[in-house]
Amino acid sequence: MVKQHQHKILDCTIRDGGLVNDWDFSVEFVKDMYRGLSAAGVEYMEIGYKNSEKLLKGGASGPWRFLNESFLRDVITKKTDTKLSALVDIGRVDENDILPREDSLLDLIRVACYIKDVDKGLELVQKFNSMGYETSINIMALSHVMENELVEAFEEINKSPVDVVYIVDSYGSMDHKDIDYLVTKFQRLLPEKELGLHMHNNLQLAFANTIAGASKGVTFLDSSVYGMGRAAGNCTTELLLSYLKGARYDIRPVLEIIEKHMITMRQKWDWGYLIPYMIVGALDEHPRTAMAQLSSDERNNFVDFYDRLTSVETAPIVNKN
Amino acid sequence: MVKQHQHKILDCTIRDGGLVNDWDFSVEFVKDMYRGLSAAGVEYMEIGYKNSEKLLKGGASGPWRFLNESFLRDVITKKTDTKLSALVDIGRVDENDILPREDSLLDLIRVACYIKDVDKGLELVQKFNSMGYETSINIMALSHVMENELVEAFEEINKSPVDVVYIVDSYGSMDHKDIDYLVTKFQRLLPEKELGLHMHNNLQLAFANTIAGASKGVTFLDSSVYGMGRAAGNCTTELLLSYLKGARYDIRPVLEIIEKHMITMRQKWDWGYLIPYMIVGALDEHPRTAMAQLSSDERNNFVDFYDRLTSVETAPIVNKN
């Protein structure tokens, strides 16, 4: 059994699940989520994105994408031991939107970026850190990153005040050997940083990879209730709560959230182990093609979809010059 | 990557999936399954139970539970490289129903038993072996077996001609540490036997545990298409095919089976990651209570179900004497 006291569960249902339903969450649902996660002993709840409405085209999505502080105060009327986090994307956040931590309900700001933007990500981290926030940098799409890029990024990260560095399996393509390799490398090259894992479930390995990492000493474990998250979704919060046994955690309040909300939500929106997501995971590709497939009339034409993704384009490329 | 040539995939959709729908499979479906698995390079297809209709009360289930040889010849008109297997249960099989291998379409007979019946299981194995069949003994509910019982059983198994010994996670409660422990022990104490894994997916760990065992040298890997199997179901065949890469395997014919049959079957019958199955898996219990829950009007009352399974009965036990 994994010792639970060193781990922190970060539930990202509202943030990553919002990518499934365009943040169509009611205030009642988010209130129930915060109450339930608090009662379950979950350490962090990611309540959305703190991106800027001005910087996002077509920004008609719900308030959970922009997290206005006065709106947030209407939702979270009583703060518990469960801290709140928000994710920001490079180029989509206006730093001036963000209050100093003492004036904010947020505790942790996480910066998501690709490896090529780690320097920009760390600039944001520096800013948020100076405003009093806990910070993380979440390096996406790690399965497509070369060793030399990673080592360069680590040098910058080591100079930064960032608290947590996340291994993000954006394409849901990693297995236990990849986790073993990456966690070992991150631990060796980032000895002063806490590590986090954010896994996707395309190959039904999100929970397995998360507990494999936890047993190697990764402390921040991302999950979502009933696995709700983009495409194949995430490691489920209920599985983590049942696995990381100990006085701190109680699965019961999360079962209540699932019973009250998630079963009907799952009937309305798609996430989880769907074959197109499995296929892109196995091919180590971005899920966007699978999401398009599932929104089309062809949603269950798996063989066509597979053939399209694996065919070698044989038409000659004509040089027009 | 796992070297694929030493592994054998044994697809048990018809046999274990039959526990979901009371073997309500059409001949067309089973024909498509055999054709598809053959084209995919799957080494074994378990086509049902070879139990005796006389010995089973209420034996109205389809022919896949009894596998009459002349019926089987109507279904499998052309044998491919994919071998056929059948499972038998102790006390439910009449040995006289079974033809010598040269007169049968079956290649492998697997004997399922609890640890206390290993001696009876091995008697059957002896018989089937003498009739020319490949044999396995599948020890169920291993998570409830004490060390001393296991060591005693191993002594008997080593004296037997059985080819394959299976680790069966009947309750879907095992994690990678359990697999690591059991596979190491089985390998050390059964050095002459091939090993097999049959995992259930209550905790979304069936595939992870199967590939963990494969990387330790387990050769027989059970799976089912789209995971169809009792309760939370099994490791999926499509994930194994995509993972055990190599010239031998092709996922495409299995995607075709899913597209043509499994999506509609899944709408009609329940299997997979359903919360009551997760709960019994986390509690390391038989899924029968969860199956009853899901067949009732209370199917989504998860909190009540959890409370019932975890409450300590406090009513006094009155001694009537």
Side-chain angles (χ1 to χ4, degrees):
Chain A
M1 195 181 311
V2 179
K3 268 189 273 173
Q4 86 289 350
H5 56 80
Q6 58 183 336
H7 298 116
K8 292 128 187 165
I9 300 178
L10 187 149
D11 183 282
C12 58
T13 312
I14 306 301
R15 201 268 311 160
D16 208 326
L19 293 163
V20 170
N21 68 350
D22 206 17
W23 293 274
D24 185 7
F25 297 119
S26 69
V27 167
E28 184 212 359
F29 174 69
V30 179
K31 278 174 182 278
D32 282 354
M33 182 66 72
Y34 188 62
R35 205 179 298 123
L37 293 175
S38 299
V42 169
E43 286 84 353
Y44 289 83
M45 165 166 155
E46 191 152 84
I47 194 163
Y49 280 93
K50 183 67 188 159
N51 284 330
S52 164
E53 221 159 339
K54 289 164 291 194
L55 298 177
L56 264 178
K57 288 162 207 145
S61 324
W64 317 108
R65 205 168 179 190
F66 310 110
L67 288 182
N68 175 293
E69 285 276 354
S70 69
F71 170 76
L72 209 48
R73 287 196 183 273
D74 290 340
V75 180
I76 307 294
T77 48
K78 190 175 180 307
K79 195 90 176 275
T80 67
D81 286 344
T82 298
K83 293 180 177 178
L84 292 174
S85 79
L87 191 74
V88 301
D89 290 319
I90 305 283
R92 289 179 174 176
V93 56
D94 180 350
E95 301 157 41
N96 302 316
D97 280 354
I98 298 190
L99 301 177
R101 181 175 177 182
E102 63 262 30
D103 301 325
S104 172
L105 283 172
L106 300 174
D107 302 284
L108 162 66
I109 300 187
R110 309 204 298 168
V111 178
C113 65
Y114 291 103
I115 193 86
K116 69 177 173 52
D117 291 325
V118 159
D119 54 341
K120 289 180 201 148
L122 292 173
E123 276 173 37
L124 288 173
V125 158
Q126 178 75 57
K127 175 92 183 176
F128 300 140
N129 172 270
S130 72
M131 296 168 87
Y133 291 99
E134 301 173 30
T135 57
S136 80
I137 187 150
N138 296 22
I139 311 177
M140 297 187 289
L142 271 175
S143 59
H144 286 196
V145 172
M146 291 195 304
E147 183 85 5
N148 58 335
E149 299 172 292
L150 203 55
V151 171
E152 268 178 46
F154 284 162
E155 285 172 20
E156 298 308 308
I157 290 170
N158 275 323
K159 290 183 226 152
S160 142
V162 71
D163 301 299
V164 190
V165 183
Y166 261 89
I167 295 168
V168 182
D169 180 17
S170 303
Y171 305 149
S173 61
M174 292 182 187
D175 68 8
H176 60 289
K177 291 175 188 167
D178 300 317
I179 297 303
D180 197 63
Y181 164 76
L182 286 172
V183 170
T184 303
K185 175 166 293 294
F186 275 56
Q187 283 174 330
R188 186 165 55 82
L189 295 178
L190 299 167
E192 307 292 315
K193 303 300 184 188
E194 283 199 79
L195 298 185
L197 282 174
H198 180 90
M199 300 287 117
H200 280 278
N201 206 30
N202 303 59
L203 306 181
Q204 298 192 357
L205 292 175
F207 175 55
N209 287 343
T210 302
I211 61 180
S215 74
K216 288 184 69 78
V218 173
T219 48
F220 275 74
L221 309 176
D222 277 22
S223 65
S224 61
V225 176
Y226 211 44
M228 187 183 189
R230 191 178 65 174
N234 308 107
C235 169
T236 83
T237 303
E238 62 273 18
L239 282 172
L240 270 190
L241 286 169
S242 81
Y243 191 80
L244 302 170
K245 293 187 179 76
R248 184 170 179 75
Y249 294 126
D250 182 8
I251 194 179
R252 201 176 175 284
V254 167
L255 294 177
E256 219 168 317
I257 297 171
I258 299 174
E259 177 176 328
K260 184 170 174 193
H261 297 287
M262 305 308 288
I263 300 297
T264 47
M265 285 172 73
R266 181 62 187 78
Q267 283 160 357
K268 195 164 169 193
W269 294 296
D270 269 341
W271 71 86
Y273 183 72
L274 298 164
I275 293 297
Y277 296 144
M278 185 277 287
I279 292 171
V280 292
L283 296 173
D284 189 18
E285 286 190 10
H286 194 286
R288 67 173 74 82
T289 51
M291 293 162 82
Q293 171 82 5
L294 285 162
S295 306
S296 78
D297 294 340
E298 317 270 281
R299 58 178 277 131
N300 290 334
N301 293 356
F302 307 137
V303 176
D304 278 359
F305 178 69
Y306 179 76
D307 286 347
R308 253 187 294 133
L309 290 193
T310 53
S311 75
V312 179
E313 179 56 68
T314 51
I317 297 167
V318 178
N319 187 331
K320 296 285 177 68
N321 292 319
Chain B
M1 193 181 312
V2 178
K3 267 189 275 172
Q4 88 287 351
H5 57 80
Q6 57 182 335
H7 298 114
K8 292 129 186 165
I9 301 179
L10 188 149
D11 183 282
C12 57
T13 312
I14 306 302
R15 202 269 311 161
D16 208 326
L19 294 162
V20 170
N21 69 350
D22 206 16
W23 293 274
D24 186 8
F25 296 119
S26 69
V27 168
E28 185 212 358
F29 174 69
V30 179
K31 277 175 183 275
D32 282 354
M33 182 66 71
Y34 188 62
R35 204 179 298 125
L37 293 175
S38 298
V42 170
E43 286 84 352
Y44 289 83
M45 166 166 155
E46 191 153 85
I47 194 162
Y49 279 93
K50 183 67 190 161
N51 284 331
S52 164
E53 221 161 337
K54 292 165 289 195
L55 299 176
L56 265 177
K57 289 162 206 145
S61 323
W64 318 108
R65 203 166 179 191
F66 309 111
L67 287 183
N68 176 292
E69 285 277 354
S70 69
F71 171 76
L72 209 48
R73 287 197 183 272
D74 290 339
V75 181
I76 307 293
T77 48
K78 190 175 179 310
K79 197 90 178 276
T80 66
D81 286 344
T82 299
K83 293 181 177 176
L84 292 174
S85 80
L87 192 74
V88 301
D89 289 319
I90 305 283
R92 289 179 174 175
V93 57
D94 181 348
E95 300 157 41
N96 303 315
D97 281 354
I98 298 190
L99 301 178
R101 183 176 176 184
E102 62 262 31
D103 302 325
S104 171
L105 283 171
L106 300 174
D107 303 283
L108 163 65
I109 300 186
R110 311 204 297 169
V111 178
C113 64
Y114 291 104
I115 193 86
K116 70 178 174 51
D117 291 325
V118 160
D119 53 342
K120 289 178 201 150
L122 292 173
E123 276 172 38
L124 288 174
V125 159
Q126 178 76 56
K127 175 91 182 175
F128 301 140
N129 173 268
S130 73
M131 296 168 85
Y133 291 99
E134 301 173 29
T135 57
S136 80
I137 187 149
N138 296 22
I139 312 176
M140 297 186 289
L142 271 174
S143 61
H144 286 196
V145 172
M146 290 196 305
E147 183 85 5
N148 58 335
E149 300 172 292
L150 204 55
V151 172
E152 268 177 47
F154 285 163
E155 286 172 19
E156 298 307 309
I157 290 171
N158 276 323
K159 291 184 226 151
S160 145
V162 71
D163 302 297
V164 190
V165 184
Y166 261 88
I167 296 168
V168 183
D169 181 18
S170 303
Y171 305 149
S173 62
M174 293 183 187
D175 68 8
H176 61 289
K177 290 174 189 167
D178 301 316
I179 296 302
D180 197 61
Y181 165 75
L182 286 171
V183 171
T184 304
K185 175 166 293 293
F186 275 56
Q187 283 174 330
R188 186 163 57 80
L189 296 177
L190 299 168
E192 307 292 317
K193 304 299 183 188
E194 284 199 77
L195 298 184
L197 283 173
H198 181 91
M199 300 287 117
H200 279 277
N201 206 29
N202 303 60
L203 306 181
Q204 300 193 355
L205 292 176
F207 175 55
N209 288 344
T210 302
I211 60 179
S215 74
K216 288 184 69 77
V218 173
T219 48
F220 275 76
L221 309 176
D222 277 21
S223 64
S224 61
V225 177
Y226 210 45
M228 186 183 190
R230 190 178 66 175
N234 308 107
C235 169
T236 83
T237 303
E238 63 274 16
L239 282 171
L240 270 191
L241 285 169
S242 79
Y243 191 80
L244 301 171
K245 293 188 181 76
R248 184 169 180 74
Y249 294 127
D250 182 9
I251 193 179
R252 201 176 175 282
V254 167
L255 294 178
E256 220 169 316
I257 298 171
I258 301 173
E259 177 176 326
K260 183 170 174 193
H261 296 288
M262 306 307 290
I263 299 298
T264 47
M265 285 172 72
R266 182 62 188 80
Q267 282 160 356
K268 194 164 168 193
W269 293 297
D270 268 342
W271 71 84
Y273 184 73
L274 298 163
I275 293 296
Y277 295 144
M278 185 276 288
I279 291 172
V280 291
L283 296 174
D284 190 18
E285 285 190 10
H286 194 287
R288 66 174 74 83
T289 50
M291 292 162 82
Q293 172 82 6
L294 285 162
S295 306
S296 77
D297 294 341
E298 317 269 281
R299 58 178 277 132
N300 291 334
N301 292 358
F302 308 136
V303 175
D304 278 359
F305 179 69
Y306 179 76
D307 286 349
R308 253 187 295 133
L309 289 193
T310 54
S311 75
V312 180
E313 180 56 66
T314 51
I317 296 166
V318 178
N319 187 331
K320 296 283 176 72
N321 293 320

